[in-house]
Amino acid sequence: MSTQAKPGAVRVAVVGATGYTGAELLRLLGQHPRVHVDTLVGHSRVGEAASEALPSLTGTPLGARTIEAFDAAALADRVDAAFCALPHGASAPTVAALRDRGVTVFDLSADFRLRDRAVYEAWYGEHGAPERFGEGGLRARRGLPGAAGGRGSGGRPGCYPTATVLPLWPLVRRGWVTLDRPIVVDAKSGVSGAGRKLRASAHFSEVANGIRPYATAGRHRHTPEIEQELSAAAGAPVRVLFSPHLVPMVRGLLAMAYVEPTDDRLTAEACVAAAREDYAGSPAVVVLDADRPPDTQWAQGANRAFVGYTKDPRTGWIVAEGAIDNLVKGAAGQAIQGFNVRFGFPEALGLELPGAWP
Ligand SMILES: NC(=O)c1ccc[n+]([C@@H]2O[C@H](COP(=O)([O-])OP(=O)(O)OC[C@H]3O[C@@H](n4cnc5c(N)ncnc54)[C@H](OP(=O)(O)O)[C@@H]3O)[C@@H](O)[C@H]2O)c1
């Protein structure tokens, strides 16, 4: 049931409110000064109190709300914007139905992130709204998929691409990276990156005591997205050898990219200076001093990406590092950043808090 909006607030719906990124959207949007969360849309939990589906909302105004079924026409009457936090495939037709009715949509799935339909189909299968393919907004302001929110209602970058591309982008676009061989990226994610859906491979007893490589050696679906953005930055094809790992933590994502400089005199300090120039004014990217690799704990709960550079004095290679909270800068926070840009609010509005540390 819709509730009274605060004056001047943008009325929004969260579609997929009962998942992990949906929960994060509600946590952040609930305290955003220019947002009224009008509708919480679910799938299998329609009719439940939000506090039942999302226990951390117990005792909050949003917790007292009811999870509703998806109805594009009803939403179009009630809201100005919608955040879609659905699995890929399910997202495209939902986004299309809302956009057809004039709702501005911020999509967290991969359905609108790739620009080449053949590449999308090779990695994800048939697209659920082919007539709207290519409406993604991944090429964000200044080409930086993490610095701003993207073009209006387009897609948001994925979690691994955000942590990987942010540190590499300043180097690749300046021609500082040898591109006649792949860039090697080794990444680690907390288990919430896999979403809330039950699966044996995410059981506590199967993840708590180990580190699990998965979809390694270029088999992960985020590989083409990373290559797409870096190729655009380089103006030439970039290949990435990407290997992710599941590590026993709930949130957090760390990407370590190993690059051979085109000039072996390149220093970590020069990389830091370049990144600071490129990300100047971005409230969501923190460029660390040279040789200070980031820690995922610094980003926990915050819409901040920590970017760092270290030089290996023996090989002359540079390690470009990115750490984020997958659910915030990698998903919900990034989408809200895009919402802020699209609706003319300060980019960091409602997103200023530093992480919860330790
Ligand atoms: N988790 C991350 O760190 C992360 C980071 C970046 C981007 N993303 C992307 O964000 C999206 C949501 O991820 P998540 O981790 O929040 O997933 P999740 O925890 O599994 O939540 C998915 C949500 O979608 C609903 N849903 C599932 N199948 C549906 C269907 N066929 N039709 C309509 N609704 C359906 C679920 O409802 P029920 O509760 O009823 O199942 C739930 O509300 C995904 O596209 C994911 O790739 C996730």
Side-chain angles (χ1 to χ4, degrees), residues 66-191:
T66 303
I67 304 297
E68 299 186 35
F70 181 70
D71 178 337
L75 284 181
D77 282 343
R78 279 162 36 182
V79 305
D80 310 296
F83 292 86
C84 272
L86 304 180
H88 67 83
S91 200
T94 308
V95 169
L98 290 168
R99 286 193 187 148
D100 286 347
R101 291 166 176 81
V103 179
T104 300
V105 184
F106 300 89
D107 183 29
L108 276 64
S109 84
D111 281 351
F112 295 95
R113 298 202 292 242
L114 289 165
R115 288 190 285 278
D116 182 333
R117 193 162 148 199
V119 173
Y120 179 92
E121 287 174 354
W123 289 84
Y124 293 93
E126 210 176 315
H127 194 263
E131 69 288 355
R132 287 191 173 269
F133 190 86
E135 281 187 357
L138 182 53
R139 197 193 294 274
R141 201 175 69 196
R142 289 170 289 152
L144 309 180
R151 279 197 315 255
S153 55
R156 313 263 75 77
C159 46
Y160 281 123
T162 296
T164 304
V165 175
L166 278 172
L168 284 173
W169 198 85
L171 313 190
V172 167
R173 86 180 187 90
R174 287 175 171 78
W176 290 357
V177 176
T178 302
L179 296 178
D180 57 8
R181 65 199 68 180
I183 297 174
V184 176
V185 181
D186 176 279
K188 281 120 193 139
S189 173
V191 184

Side-chain angles (χ1 to χ4, degrees), residues 16 18-21 43-44 85-87 108-109 192-193 195-196 326-327 330-331:
T18 54
Y20 284 161
T21 59
H43 181 55
S44 66
L86 304 180
L108 276 64
S109 84
S192 65
R196 195 178 188 186
N326 53 296
L327 294 175

Side-chain angles (χ1 to χ4, degrees), residues 177-270:
V177 176
T178 302
L179 296 178
D180 57 8
R181 65 199 68 180
I183 297 174
V184 176
V185 181
D186 176 279
K188 281 120 193 139
S189 173
V191 184
S192 65
R196 195 178 188 186
K197 191 172 170 219
L198 291 177
R199 58 195 103 199
S201 58
H203 284 182
F204 178 81
S205 47
E206 299 198 17
V207 295
N209 274 338
I211 295 180
R212 184 192 306 151
Y214 68 104
T216 54
R219 287 164 179 77
H220 194 279
R221 282 173 165 155
H222 286 171
T223 305
E225 196 180 320
I226 296 169
E227 290 183 344
Q228 169 182 278
E229 294 313 302
L230 293 178
S231 299
V238 175
R239 284 283 161 261
V240 170
L241 200 173
F242 178 69
S243 289
H245 304 74
L246 201 61
V247 298
M249 60 187 183
V250 175
R251 291 168 184 250
L253 195 157
L254 179 72
M256 306 282 280
Y258 302 90
V259 298
E260 181 184 13
T262 43
D263 181 340
D264 60 13
R265 290 168 299 178
L266 181 67
T267 61
E269 286 78 7

